[in-house]
């Protein structure tokens, strides 16, 4: 009997469980669906304006003097005098007498040479007189020697040699004065007052101040923006360059005058030379400016060639090497392939791939996919003014 009761209880529980399961399947709970909210970020954009732009080339370099020179003694002797401006950093003008080497020995040489010329002229006069006297003898047939012709010729040659000796002595005397060949500045004085020097001995080092030059490295991409520097057959207008000293902000204007003849194998860069006239502002009528010192480190901005229909974008717009993100008319993101002409310090310059009025994304999003919806900030969109526009293009 107890065994029968257990079976009855188990069977009853099984029937109840089946009934509950059937009821739950037949009456499922109602599920309330919630609409999914789309994430739409707020972004900043740059509105594209196409213009004709003169693309700049940015580089940097060190100022060097155009005409470095070492003043040397052309004759030997004791240094008798030194000009007051011949101190380190002093300025001198063309024609200034900078050093004087003792003159007396060379004045004596000139005196001896003058005496030799006078003696040679006397011999020429005597030979001419003898020749005239012999020619006056009638009825005699004389040899050239008897007529005195070789003697006269020898006397004339001796006179020319004596005159050449006098000219050489006068030249040596003139070279006792060391004269400035151009306007310049003293880098370092080497000779001292009373010092005995030999021919060829260095007296001072200096450089010209009419111009200053800066050797500027450029890449192959930048060189494409400077046409004509490697084409001597082209009549190219001077290329303007603006130099800035980073520490002081001082600025100077000059021109790029040439490109070097080969690529530097050490850094694979080509170098161009920029020249600034009157770097110290000492010329007649020149406005006094901060001096562009030799050895100064400067940043350079070179005017490159003009391109039409160029878009200047902030660097924040760049996505990789050749693409940007654009917000289309539907407010969705679209990735656009572009041609980047130049990457500047603050801007990139795009030649192809954008249209006027395109809205280029500036905000850095964690996730960016094609077709993603965004909201554009209304009036706070960044605008970047391109350098030196030459007119606009639609």
């Amino acid at each position: 009997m107890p065994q029968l009761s257990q079976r009855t209880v188990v069977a009853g529980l099984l029937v109840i469980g089946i009934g509950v399961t059937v009821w739950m399947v037949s009456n499922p709970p109602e599920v309330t669906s919630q609409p999914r909210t789309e994430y739409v970020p707020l972004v900043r954009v740059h509105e594209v304006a196409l213009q004709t732009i003169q693309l700049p080339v940015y580089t940097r370099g060190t100022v060097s003097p155009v005409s470095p020179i070492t003043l040397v003694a052309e004759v030997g002797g004791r240094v008798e005098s030194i000009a007051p401006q011949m101190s380190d950093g002093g300025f001198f003008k063309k024609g200034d007498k900078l050093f004087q080497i003792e003159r007396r020995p060379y004045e004596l040489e000139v005196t001896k040479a003058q005496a030799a010329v006078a003696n040679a002229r006397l011999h020429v006069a005597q030979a001419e007189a003898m020749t005239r006297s012999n020619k006056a003898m009638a009825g005699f047939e004389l040899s050239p020697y008897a007529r005195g012709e070789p003697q006269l010729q020898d006397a004339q040659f001796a006179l020319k040699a004596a005159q050449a000796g006098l000219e050489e002595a006068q030249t040596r005397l003139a070279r006792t004065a060391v004269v400035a060949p151009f306007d310049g500045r003293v880098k370092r004085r080497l000779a001292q007052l009373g010092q005995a020097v030999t021919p060829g001995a260095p007296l001072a080092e200096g450089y010209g101040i009419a111009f200053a030059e800066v050797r500027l490295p450029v890449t192959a991409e930048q060189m494409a923006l400077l046409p004509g520097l490697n084409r001597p057959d082209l009549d190219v207008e001077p290329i303007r360059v603006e130099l800035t000293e980073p520490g002081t902000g001082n600025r100077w204007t000059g021109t790029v005058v040439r490109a070097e003849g080969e690529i530097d194998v050490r850094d694979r860069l080509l170098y161009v030379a920029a020249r600034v006239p009157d770097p110290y502002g000492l010329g007649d009528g020149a406005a006094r400016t901060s001096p562009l010192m030799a050895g100064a480190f400067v940043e350079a901005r070179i005017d490159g060639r003009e391109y039409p229909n160029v878009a200047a974008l902030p660097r924040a717009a760049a996505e990789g090497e050749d693409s940007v993100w654009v917000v289309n008319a539907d407010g969705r993101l679209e990735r656009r392939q572009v041609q980047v002409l130049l990457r500047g310090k603050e801007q990139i310059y795009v030649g192809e791939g954008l249209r006027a009025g395109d809205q280029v994304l500036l905000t850095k999003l964690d996730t960016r996919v094609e077709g993603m919806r965004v909201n554009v900030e209304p009036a706070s969109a960044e605008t970047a003014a391109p350098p030196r526009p030459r007119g606009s293009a639609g």
Side-chain angles (χ1 to χ4, degrees), residues 287-318:
R288 179 68 65 170
T289 61
S290 299
L292 179 58
M293 302 284 289
F297 179 77
V298 292
E299 295 179 344
R301 183 191 186 283
I302 307 172
D303 287 348
R305 61 182 293 189
E306 291 184 358
Y307 283 87
N309 299 330
V310 173
L313 308 177
R315 286 190 67 95

Side-chain angles (χ1 to χ4, degrees), residues 129-302:
M130 185 179 68
T131 301
R132 288 194 300 270
S133 175
N134 291 340
K135 286 182 178 179
M137 297 177 63
F140 295 94
E141 187 174 340
L142 302 176
S143 65
Y145 183 81
R147 292 196 299 268
E149 294 174 359
Q151 295 89 325
L152 175 59
Q153 188 177 34
D154 181 67
Q156 290 172 337
F157 284 145
L159 175 59
K160 289 182 179 180
Q163 290 172 333
L166 174 59
E167 185 177 348
E168 181 181 1
Q170 290 172 334
T171 299
R172 288 167 61 83
L173 176 61
R175 288 176 176 173
T176 58
V178 180
V179 178
F182 45 68
D183 292 354
R185 192 174 191 184
V186 181
K187 179 180 179 181
R188 181 173 54 181
R189 194 182 78 188
L190 304 173
Q192 305 301 324
L193 186 65
Q195 178 181 343
V197 296
T198 57
L203 304 176
E205 295 177 351
Y207 51 85
I209 57 172
F211 297 93
E213 275 194 359
V214 186
R215 188 169 180 256
L216 300 170
V218 294
T219 63
E221 178 187 31
Q222 291 174 321
M223 194 63 194
L225 302 177
L226 305 174
L229 284 179
N230 286 320
R231 293 288 305 276
D233 56 321
L234 296 179
D235 185 13
V236 182
E237 293 185 2
I239 301 175
R240 181 180 179 275
V241 61
E242 185 179 80
L243 304 178
T244 304
E245 192 172 28
T248 63
N250 293 328
R251 296 176 183 270
W252 302 269
T253 301
T255 55
V256 177
V257 293
R258 68 180 184 279
E260 294 186 358
E262 59 184 7
I263 295 175
D264 194 315
V265 296
R266 295 169 295 182
D267 51 22
R268 309 309 304 172
L269 296 174
L270 182 68
Y271 285 79
V272 299
R275 179 171 288 189
V276 177
D278 194 13
Y280 291 92
L282 302 176
D284 295 338
R288 179 68 65 170
T289 61
S290 299
L292 179 58
M293 302 284 289
F297 179 77
V298 292
E299 295 179 344
R301 183 191 186 283
I302 307 172

Side-chain angles (χ1 to χ4, degrees), residues 42-111:
L42 188 66
V43 298
R44 296 176 299 115
V45 297
H46 172 84
E47 184 171 342
V48 172
L50 299 183
Q51 296 177 318
T52 297
I53 295 178
Q54 191 171 47
L55 296 184
V57 172
Y58 292 99
T59 180
R60 56 187 62 187
T62 302
V63 180
S64 60
V66 175
S67 304
I69 188 175
T70 299
L71 298 172
V72 299
E74 296 185 82
V75 295
R78 185 174 55 85
V79 178
E80 285 187 335
S81 65
I82 301 176
Q85 61 267 40
M86 285 307 297
S87 56
D88 294 358
F91 291 89
F92 54 83
K93 288 187 172 295
K94 181 179 180 180
D96 285 353
K97 185 170 71 172
L98 307 179
F99 292 90
Q100 178 63 59
I101 297 173
E102 57 181 336
R103 293 171 52 91
R104 188 55 182 167
Y106 301 98
E107 290 173 342
L108 294 177
E109 288 187 5
V110 170
T111 301

